[in-house]
């Protein structure tokens, strides 16, 4: 028990010295602890780090890209691939402001308010799909920039 307390104090000292930029986890890093405790500041990160360490989920998460261990570039790339793969279905759903593809995009992009994301994309349909000859990359970037804008600020595209 005494050893566990020492390890926790050491982990707290290491965590206090870290400076983490915008990520879906706190200073404890990714893993099971980040999923349970999130990015709450303070002593909670010690519990997050301990939970992650006990279950060894950070190594697994980094290797597989799970458990909040996917970096923002990888998440953005995943959303972009989804958009480009489902371009035609998305165009139909965005024009209607609803649909399964649009709902899946909002979830994949980390939008907290999927109906607001759908309505915003529908409102910006002409900017997203300026012509039939618009390239998939141009459409993807338009959708991503729309989802990243406030008040949406979808977490996985910014």
């Amino acid at each position: 028990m005494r050893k566990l307390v020492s390890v926790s104090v050491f982990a707290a000292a290491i965590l206090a010295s870290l400076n983490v930029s915008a990520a879906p986890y706190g200073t404890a890093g990714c893993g099971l602890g980040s999923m349970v405790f999130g990015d709450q500041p303070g002593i909670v990160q010690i519990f997050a780090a301990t939970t992650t360490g006990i279950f060894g989920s950070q190594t697994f998460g980094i290797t597989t890209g799970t458990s909040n261990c996917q970096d923002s570039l990888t998440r953005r790339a995943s959303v972009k691939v989804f958009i480009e793969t489902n371009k035609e279905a998305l165009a139909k759903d965005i024009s209607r402001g609803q649909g399964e593809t649009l709902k899946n995009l909002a979830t994949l992009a980390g939008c907290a308010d999927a109906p607001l994301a759908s309505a915003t994309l529908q409102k910006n349909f002409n900017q997203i799909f300026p012509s039939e000859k618009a390239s998939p990359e141009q459409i993807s970037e338009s959708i991503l920039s729309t989802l990243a804008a406030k008040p949406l600020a979808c977490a996985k595209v910014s």
Side-chain angles (χ1 to χ4, degrees), residues 42-96:
I43 198 161
V44 173
Q45 292 302 304
I46 295 171
F47 298 116
T50 304
T51 302
T52 298
I54 288 172
F55 291 97
S57 61
Q58 193 169 48
T59 304
F60 177 78
I62 291 170
T63 304
T64 61
T66 59
S67 303
N68 281 346
C69 292
Q70 204 176 25
D71 65 16
S72 61
L73 292 176
T74 305
R75 284 191 301 271
R76 183 178 172 90
S78 296
V79 173
K80 194 172 181 177
V81 167
F82 178 83
I83 292 168
E84 291 175 6
T85 303
N86 297 290
K87 178 184 151 190
E88 291 178 27
L90 267 174
K92 290 177 186 174
D93 285 356
I94 290 172
S95 70
R96 293 182 304 183

Side-chain angles (χ1 to χ4, degrees), residues 139-152:
I139 293 167
S140 294
E141 286 305 317
S142 295
I143 291 173
L144 292 171
S145 64
T146 302
L147 293 176
K150 293 186 179 191
L152 286 177

Side-chain angles (χ1 to χ4, degrees), residues 114-138:
L116 178 60
S118 299
T120 303
L121 289 170
Q122 182 183 29
K123 186 173 84 175
N124 293 298
F125 181 83
N126 291 330
Q127 289 81 22
I128 294 170
F129 297 97
S131 72
E132 289 183 25
K133 297 186 188 233
S135 70
E137 294 82 19
Q138 181 183 6

